[in-house]
């Protein structure tokens, strides 16, 4: 079953990787024919017993890159109790990994259970039962896993794979202490697989703390796929809602995501777009679990055309054929722009991303343009709109000052502008959790 590193370089087909025949049947059924680059690099090393630190984003096939070799080894040599613990930042990602796992393990005897917060008492009891009867693979969000650990019945004696997916996201959400605590509860001898879209120093520090001599794999694409057409508008804040309406009005679009950085903006925009007659729903961590799942289902099934979302869905969620992504505002983290627009143009289809840049956001957009090493084309506002502010590619304050609805330039300390030293009403664009 195990591969040597020398052999690895020659492997390009799943059939030559030494995966269990039952896993090969699952691959066949899912019509995965050729390994993606992250799979090509990770699968032989994981089968070889190595720990892995991989920078790979959603869309690269990273889920199967860790599931295939892990499921294969569990199927070949099953042990009683939990054998693999996967920790992820959000319930959506837990569910998505479980769906992938169910497909890939269809012809095996491997069992799995996603466990996440937000459900009712019944789901907690079901999770508890699965843990006590020894489900093979547990896919958990940190908070919920902590709750089960604290009740004392989680037996980790036979855990041999510890997987962290979207580690950078967990770092952003403040889960790092939980992760080191989970590591302490697991057996000393353990294969740890850590996947992260970005590789900041803090992630490397965490890796050093919880794993020994990991093999590094670097598949990070911090540039958007070539087949995404990217354009932007330089607009005043008060023009944004009307512009989104104009961009969507009368177009033959079935599947659009509009990203906002704050939950508040998501709610406001959704209401305004619904009033314009668009089939539209909002998704953010304000909703409970069932509501979120229902909305995602309706969006996948095209019952909803426009999904207005926080960065909750910018990472990790795989929905095919999104035709258009609109960035209603600019994310603080330039990488999030790549995640957001990566929701379109998946699986070789062309997609489009439109970004609305207010004068205060120009510096953030310039950072994005530096990251993607590309100047995104700025379009003039459509007919009927007042001209937008000048976009200053080279930095510095735009010459046209932010204007009030009336068209008059804003007074320096007018409502909505922050007085120096007054942070109380500060609007933060920090991406919000879950
Ligand atoms: P991921 O990066 O894990 O979110 O995967 C992105 C998408 O690619 C998912 O829809 C997977 O089902 C699909 N996928 C993963 N590996 C392969 C493969 N080798 N061939 C075809 N599709 C794949």
């Amino acid at each position: 079953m195990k591969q040597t590193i020398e052999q690895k370089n020659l492997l390009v087909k799943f059939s030559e990787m030494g995966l269990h025949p039952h896993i090969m049947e699952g691959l066949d059924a899912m019509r995965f024919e050729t390994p993606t680059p992250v799979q090509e690099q990770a699968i032989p090393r994981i089968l070889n017993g190595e720990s892995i630190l991989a920078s790979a984003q959603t869309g690269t096939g990273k889920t199967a890159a860790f599931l295939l070799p892990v499921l294969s080894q569990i199927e070949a040599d099953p042990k009683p109790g939990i054998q693999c613990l996967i920790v992820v930042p959000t319930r959506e990602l837990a569910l998505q990994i479980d769906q992938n796992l169910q497909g890939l393990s269809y012809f095996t005897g491997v069992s799995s259970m996603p466990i996440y917060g937000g459900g009712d008492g019944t789901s907690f009891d079901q999770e508890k039962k699965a843990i006590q009867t020894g489900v093979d693979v547990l896919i958990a969000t940190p908070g919920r896993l902590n709750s089960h650990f604290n009740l004392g019945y989680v037996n980790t004696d036979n855990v041999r794979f510890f997987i962290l997916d979207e580690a950078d996201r967990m770092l952003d959400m403040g889960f790092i202490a939980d992760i080191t605590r989970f590591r302490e509860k697991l057996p000393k001898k353990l294969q740890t697989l850590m996947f992260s879209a970005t590789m900041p120093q803090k992630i490397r520090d965490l890796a050093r703390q919880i794993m020994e001599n990991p093999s590094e794999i670097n598949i990070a694409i911090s540039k958007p796929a070539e087949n995404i057409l990217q354009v932007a508008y330089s607009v005043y804040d008060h023009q944004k809602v009307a512009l989104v309406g104009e961009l969507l009005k009368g177009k033959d679009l079935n599947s659009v995501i509009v990203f906002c950085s704050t939950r508040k903006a998501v709610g406001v925009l959704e209401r305004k777009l619904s009033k314009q007659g668009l089939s539209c729903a909002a998704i953010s961590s304000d909703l409970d679990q069932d509501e979120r799942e229902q909305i995602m289902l309706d969006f996948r099934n095209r019952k909803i055309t426009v999904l207005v979302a926080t960065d909750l869905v910018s990472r990790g969620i795989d929905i095919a054929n999104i035709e258009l992504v609109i960035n209603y505002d600019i994310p603080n983290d330039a990488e999030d722009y790549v995640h957001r627009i990566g929701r379109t143009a998946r699986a070789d289809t062309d997609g489009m991303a439109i970004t609305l840049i207010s004068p205060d956001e120009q510096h953030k957009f310039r950072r994005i343009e530096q990251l993607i090493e590309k100047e995104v084309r700025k379009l003039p506002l459509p007919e009927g709109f007042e001209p937008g502010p000048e976009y200053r590619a080279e930095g510095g304050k735009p010459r046209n000052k932010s204007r009030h609805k009336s068209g008059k330039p804003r007074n320096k300390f007018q409502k909505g502008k922050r007085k120096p030293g007054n942070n109380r009403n500060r609007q933060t664009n920090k991406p919000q959790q879950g």
Side-chain angles (χ1 to χ4, degrees), residues 14 30-36 39 57-64 96 100 316 318 346:
F14 284 123
M30 291 186 69
R31 300 189 194 284
F32 286 9
E33 282 160 15
T34 326
T36 65
Q39 291 163 2
Q57 296 181 335
T58 297
T60 56
K62 67 180 167 68
T63 315
Q96 190 168 299
N100 269 255
D318 183 40
R346 291 167 85 69

Side-chain angles (χ1 to χ4, degrees), residues 176 180 183-184 202-212:
I176 293 305
T180 44
R183 174 63 190 95
E184 283 160 16
K202 281 191 177 158
I203 290 291
R204 292 188 176 281
D205 294 345
L206 173 69
R208 212 168 303 124
Q209 250 180 300
I210 62 165
M211 59 211 284
E212 275 174 30

Side-chain angles (χ1 to χ4, degrees), residues 249-286:
K249 199 175 63 187
K251 307 280 187 329
D252 187 20
L253 291 164
N254 297 310
S255 206
V256 178
I257 300 185
V258 185
F259 282 111
C260 302
S261 295
T262 65
R263 286 175 290 191
K264 194 172 159 211
V266 162
V268 171
L269 185 61
E270 189 267 333
R271 280 192 294 280
K272 290 188 175 164
L273 294 179
S274 293
K275 265 196 196 150
Q276 293 181 25
L278 289 157
S279 143
C280 174
I283 188 162
S284 75
S285 52
D286 282 344

Side-chain angles (χ1 to χ4, degrees), residues 107-176:
F107 299 96
T108 72
V110 180
S111 59
S112 66
M113 182 79 180
I115 69 169
Y116 44 79
D120 52 17
T122 330
S123 57
F124 194 92
D125 288 343
Q126 282 167 352
E127 293 171 10
K128 180 177 171 187
K129 202 164 158 205
I131 292 168
Q132 286 178 320
T133 51
V135 68
D136 297 313
V137 182
L138 207 55
I139 308 155
T141 54
R144 188 64 150 219
L145 185 57
N146 256 327
S147 309
H148 287 291
F149 267 128
N150 291 342
L151 292 169
Y153 45 71
V154 186
N155 183 337
T156 58
D157 290 352
N158 279 334
V159 174
R160 48 188 162 142
F161 302 104
F162 181 38
I163 303 176
L164 303 168
D165 196 12
E166 300 204 351
D168 52 351
R169 190 78 168 154
M170 291 201 269
L171 181 101
D172 289 348
M173 294 167 83
F175 291 141
I176 293 305

